Amino acid sequence: MALQIKSIEDYHKAYQKSIENPSKFWDEIAKDFYWKKKWDQTLSYDWSVPETKWFVGGKLNITENCLDRHLATKGNQTAIIWEPNDPKVKAKHITYRQLYSKVCAFANVLKNNGVVKGDRVCIYMPMIIELPIAALACARIGAIHSIVFAGFSSRALAARINDSKCKVLLTSDGGLRGDKIIPLKDIADNALKTCPSIKKSIIFKRTRQTVEWIKGRDLWWHEELAKVDDSCPAEVMDSEDILFILYTSGSTGKPKGMVHTCGGYMVYSTYSFLNVFQYRPNDIYWCTADIGWITGHSFIVYGPLTTGATTVMFEGIPSYPDFGRFWEICEKHKVTQFYTAPTAIRALAKHPLSFVTSHDLSCLKILGTVGEPINEEAWHWYNINIGKNKCPIVDTWWQTETGGIMISSLAGITKDKPTFATLPLPGIQPVLLNGDGIEITEIKAEGILAIKQPWPSLARTIYGDNKRYKNVYFSAYPGYYFPGDGALRDSKGNYRITGRVDDVIIVSGHNLGTAPIENAINEHEDIVESAVVGFPHDIKGNALHAYVMTYDGIIQNDKLIGEIRNLVTKTIGAIARPDKIQFVKGLPKTRSGKIMRRILRKIASGDTENLGDTSTLLNPEIVDDLQKGFAKGR
Ligand code: WT7
C-alpha cells in the first residue's frame, strides 16, 4: 500500500508534510481506500463548537474495504484465525471469501429483524467469530454497533443499551473463559428487564446450557441464518455517518458513548495499523485484546481487515490451561506481530520462564504494548524473553476517543526507547502544556499532554451529549484536544506518558472512572460517602483503594466489605472491585467540599511522610486517622 512508511526518511517526510499541509497529506492517504464517491472537502473543523468533519461528502462502506475489495486477490487467504478457549479444539481459519459470505448472510438476518440504517445494535458477546461478523454485518447495512465488553454486569449493560436506545441485542447463551462458563444470556436477560428499546435478541449457541426464553423477543442465531441467503449489497454511507459507538468511563457515573464515523475512522485506524506494525503480506498478526475494547475494534477487526491482513482472535485467557498459552499460540500459528497489555506481561513474568522457553518463538518479528505505561522491568522481560532481543517493541499510546494509535515508534523504522511511547505518527501534533494551558516550548519538559490539530479518527462526539464532549475534551485547554494524560518529553522529542491527570484510573489496562465506582458503593444503605483512588500494584499497574464512611462509624466489618465488593461487581463488573477497603470516620475535604484526593492517593500508596500542604483542609485532624487506619491494614 502506498501509505506504508518504509524508512526513517519516509517518516520525517510524511510527518513534515502532514503538518504543513494536512489536507493534501490525508487526501493522498485516503485515495488508497475504496470510496463510492470521492469527498469534496478533506477537513472542516471548529473546536470551539466542537465539530470535526473529515472527507466531507465522501461516500463509502467500510465493509467493502474490509471484504469485497480483497475478494479478487485474496479471496482464499485467511482473514481470521480463531483460536478456541480449549487448546484441544481445532482452530478455525476463515478466508476472506468465507468471511464476506458470513457477514452478508448475517446482515440479512438483521434486515429481516427490522434493523435499518442508523439503528443501534448492541453486541454483548464472547470472543467468537460471530462477534466480528456481527459488527461487520451492522456496518454492511449502516446500522450502528455498540459492542459492550462481555465482562460487564447486567446493570452496566442496561445503562449502555438505554443510553443509545439500541433496538436489537446480539448475545450468546454463554461464554468460555478458562474452565468457567459465563452465563451471558442470563446476564443479558436481567439487563433487558429495564431496556424497553430492545425489540429482538438474537442468541448464538456457544455453551449449550439451558437458558430462559422470551417468545417473540428471543431468536436463535442459527435458525435466523437458515432463513437468509448470503448476498447483501453494501449500504452507501456518508463519511461522517456513525460507524459505531463505544462506551468508555469518565469522571461522572455515566459512561461516555464515543462516536466514531465511517470515513475518518477507517482511514486512520488502518493507517496506524499498517505503519506502527509494519504489516507485510503473509504476516500473521495477533492482538490479544477483547473486541469489547477499542484495541480490539481497531486492531483485530477494522485495521487488519481493511489492510487485507491475517488476524488472530483468541477466545480464552492467558493462564488457561497454563501460563504458556500465549506462547503456545504464537508458535502454533507462527505469529509475526504480537500486541498485548503491560499487565499481561507483568502477570506472565511472575511465572517460571519454562512456560516461555518450551515454545519456539522464532516466528516473532515485532512486539507491541498498549493500555498503560509499561515499567522498565516489564519492558526488558518482554524484550529479552519474548523478543529475544531482536524484535522492535512498539509502545502505543492512544485512547478509545482517538480511534487509532497516536504516539508510538514505527516498528524497525523509528527507534524505540524503554518506557517511552516515543514519537507522534504523521498527522498527530502533541504538545505539552503547563498548568495555565500555555504550550511549553523547551523540548525537554514535563506537562499536560494535549493535541493541537484534528486527525481523521478523532471521536466526533459523545452520543447524545455534545455538551459533555466539549466539557471533557475541549474546555480545560481551549484550542486543544485534552486526552487526560500527563507526559514528559526528552531532548529528542520522545514522549513518555506519565499517567492520568484526571479521576480515571487504569487498572490492568482497563480505564475506570472513580465516580461510577463510588456511586456503586454509596448505594449501600450503611454508607454515607466514599472515595476511590489508585495505588501502584506490581501486576495490575494500579489497584483500587476505597475509603468508605459508614453511618454508624464502623471501622472494621468483613461482611460489609464483602457486600461492597459484590455491589461494585453487580453495578459495573468484577474489573472494578476495590482491592482494599478502608473504613474511615471522614474524608479529607477542602473548604469548598471537594475531596482532596491527592492525600488519599499518598496514603493508599503507603507514602505517609510527604502528604504535602494540608492547610486548606476543612478537617485536617482526619489525616492522622486515615494514616492509622491504613497502618492497621484492611
Ligand atoms: C488511556 C486510554 C486505546 C488503548 C486501550 C486503552 C492509557 C493507553 C498507553 C500507553 C501509557 C497508555 C492512557 C490513555 N494508555 N496506552 N502506551 N502508555 N498509557 O484505551 O480505555 O480509552 O484508555 O489508557 O491513560 O488515556 P482507553
Side-chain angles (χ1 to χ4, degrees), residues 244 265 269-270 272-273 285 287 293-305 398 403-405:
F244 66 82
Y265 174 80
S269 62
T270 306
S272 67
F273 168 74
Y285 175 84
C287 161
W293 309 115
I294 190 70
T295 312
H297 281 60
S298 301
F299 293 94
I300 297 176
V301 186
Y302 289 111
L305 295 180
W398 59 298
I405 296 169

Side-chain angles (χ1 to χ4, degrees), residues 118-302:
D119 282 344
R120 274 80 57 217
V121 173
C122 179
I123 305 179
Y124 183 68
M125 293 184 74
M127 285 287 282
I128 54 178
I129 282 277
E130 285 69 23
L131 168 51
I133 290 173
L136 292 165
C138 289
R140 188 80 178 169
I141 61 169
I144 298 165
H145 60 74
S146 165
I147 304 180
V148 176
F149 171 59
F152 275 117
S153 68
S154 298
R155 280 172 64 179
L157 173 61
R160 285 158 179 75
I161 290 174
N162 288 331
D163 181 71
S164 46
K165 301 197 177 47
C166 296
K167 194 174 188 178
V168 167
L169 172 70
L170 308 176
T171 186
S172 69
D173 50 355
L176 298 174
R177 274 182 74 78
D179 54 11
K180 286 202 202 86
I181 292 186
I182 314 296
L184 292 179
K185 183 169 190 316
D186 292 354
I187 300 169
D189 281 347
N190 215 0
L192 292 192
K193 285 180 193 152
T194 58
C195 299
S197 62
I198 295 284
K199 303 293 175 244
K200 296 274 172 65
S201 176
I202 306 176
I203 296 107
F204 184 81
K205 203 178 260 188
R206 173 72 187 109
T207 46
R208 298 174 179 275
Q209 77 273 30
T210 41
V211 286
E212 286 195 20
W213 207 253
I214 295 193
K215 266 214 165 126
R217 185 195 73 187
D218 295 346
L219 302 162
W220 281 117
W221 196 289
H222 57 277
E223 290 179 6
E224 291 307 294
L225 269 180
K227 300 177 192 163
V228 298
D229 65 20
D230 65 352
S231 116
C232 177
E235 186 73 38
V236 181
M237 304 298 286
D238 193 271
S239 276
E240 284 296 317
D241 279 341
I242 303 178
L243 173 63
F244 66 82
I245 301 169
L246 182 59
Y247 286 88
T248 186
S249 34
S251 46
T252 71
K254 210 169 168 236
K256 297 176 290 193
M258 304 316 305
V259 168
H260 282 286
T261 53
C262 297
Y265 174 80
M266 172 180 74
V267 170
Y268 193 80
S269 62
T270 306
Y271 182 77
S272 67
F273 168 74
L274 196 61
N275 284 304
V276 170
F277 293 101
Q278 287 293 309
Y279 188 87
R280 300 282 154 89
N282 304 317
D283 282 352
I284 310 285
Y285 175 84
W286 182 20
C287 161
T288 70
D290 192 289
I291 295 177
W293 309 115
I294 190 70
T295 312
H297 281 60
S298 301
F299 293 94
I300 297 176
V301 186
Y302 289 111

Side-chain angles (χ1 to χ4, degrees), residues 36-55:
K36 288 175 185 287
K37 177 187 166 283
K38 200 185 171 236
W39 54 97
D40 311 310
Q41 189 187 359
T42 309
L43 168 64
S44 122
Y45 82 106
D46 179 352
W47 276 0
S48 70
V49 178
E51 182 185 81
T52 306
K53 291 180 176 171
W54 280 92
F55 312 113

Side-chain angles (χ1 to χ4, degrees), residues 323-344:
F323 289 94
R325 188 69 194 275
F326 272 2
W327 322 124
E328 183 221 323
I329 297 172
C330 285
E331 177 180 14
K332 177 171 162 192
H333 297 300
K334 305 230 167 352
V335 170
T336 45
Q337 283 94 341
F338 177 76
Y339 189 30
T340 196
T343 186

